[in-house]
Amino acid sequence: MRKISIINEKGGVGKTTTSINLASGLARKNKKVLIIDLDPQGNVSQFFGIKLKPFDLKNFNQLTIPENMDTRKAVKFIDDYLNKDNYIQKDINTLLLDKNQEIKECIYKTEYDNLDIIPSLGTNLIKTDKYLTADSGLVYNRLKRAIRNIRHDYDYIIFDHAPTFNNITINGLFASDEIIIPLKIGGFELRSFINMMYEIFDFEDDYEQIYNVKILMNMIPRGKRKDYENFMIKLKELFGNKVLLTTIGFQEAVASRSTMQSQLLIDTKTKVGTDYEHLVDEILKGGN
């Protein structure tokens, strides 16, 4: 099983779009794929239509309120109700916070064959990170330990990260073997990439990890742009085969239409869609 983190500390570089289209493309190649949403915004979960169960107002209004309630007790009472198994689905937060949580209970099927998801529901990962920070036990390996129970169920696990570096990020990286960093052309983007690489170096040293890191040139405007071409050539001179051969173009109209219609870019009969098909093929070859 290959475990790939898609990560970049810079937002707006197409990280989530890459995760979604790569995971979907691999699934269409008859690979069993699990995508794990590690971003508090939950964009991957929303794309695949994974939502919180609706609030049952009638059920809530029928609750029997205990006597001698004060403000703190009332808050705890409501919190307990909201977190009953029959109300809130189990997701990545449940998995990270409960060491005894069975990972299979947190996995949901998507509408796509061979593609499952562990969602991030609501914005609870922000709170989860705080809980993990306050925990005195080993928290960095919880996701890796949980994944052991499904190691024979999937060919690929894709981790979609937030543009931050925290306990959630650490769990995702510790559970991964490979890293893909989507990179746009630009000065801010290059600086963020360098900062990201320093974080990875520190992580490798601190946790005795070794990663196969790949750079994906992403969101490249179409047309002859000599400076852009030279930039990519320069990166290949610097990083060699760490730079993926595939480059992902950018067409604003296609990207906007895909977002509005919740359509996979790999499904659009466009050059960008073809780029993602090439990316899937290159990743598949990388496992040979």
Side-chain angles (χ1 to χ4, degrees), residues 40-65:
Q41 296 182 67
N43 289 331
V44 168
S45 305
Q46 292 175 46
F47 181 89
F48 290 113
I50 311 298
K51 301 177 182 178
L52 286 170
K53 293 178 182 176
F55 178 71
D56 190 333
L57 181 60
K58 186 175 182 179
N59 181 271
F60 179 78
N61 290 339
Q62 292 175 346
L63 290 175
T64 300
I65 309 300

Side-chain angles (χ1 to χ4, degrees), residues 29 266-268 272-282:
K29 297 289 188 177
I266 203 169
D267 277 347
T268 61
V272 178
T274 301
D275 290 343
Y276 276 113
E277 290 177 357
H278 291 161
L279 175 63
V280 170
D281 291 338
E282 185 170 358

Side-chain angles (χ1 to χ4, degrees), residues 86-124:
N86 63 356
Y87 181 73
I88 297 293
Q89 299 105 310
K90 296 178 180 180
D91 69 346
I92 186 62
N93 297 283
T94 321
L95 190 61
L96 290 174
L97 292 177
D98 185 353
K99 290 181 285 188
N100 298 314
Q101 174 60 55
E102 171 55 50
I103 188 172
K104 292 183 179 181
E105 295 178 355
C106 302
I107 296 174
Y108 300 80
K109 291 189 176 298
T110 71
E111 62 181 291
Y112 300 95
D113 292 340
N114 298 319
L115 180 56
D116 296 340
I117 181 173
I118 296 180
S120 170
L121 300 171
T123 56
N124 292 328

Side-chain angles (χ1 to χ4, degrees), residues 128-152:
T128 295
D129 176 55
K130 293 179 180 178
Y131 286 146
L132 292 177
T133 301
D135 195 318
S136 59
L138 290 177
V139 298
Y140 64 86
N141 66 345
R142 289 188 179 177
L143 188 52
K144 182 174 183 176
R145 289 177 62 190
I147 285 172
R148 289 174 185 166
N149 292 329
I150 55 168
R151 61 186 179 275
H152 301 303

Side-chain angles (χ1 to χ4, degrees), residues 222 248-251 254 265 268 270-277:
R222 294 295 178 187
I248 307 295
F250 180 74
Q251 294 169 276
V254 175
L265 281 172
T268 61
T270 62
K271 292 181 179 179
V272 178
T274 301
D275 290 343
Y276 276 113
E277 290 177 357

Side-chain angles (χ1 to χ4, degrees), residues 217-233:
M217 298 308 305
N218 199 34
M219 301 178 71
I220 310 300
R222 294 295 178 187
K224 291 290 184 179
R225 298 172 184 260
K226 197 64 179 176
D227 287 342
Y228 284 10
E229 292 174 6
N230 288 336
F231 180 93
M232 290 187 283
I233 290 171

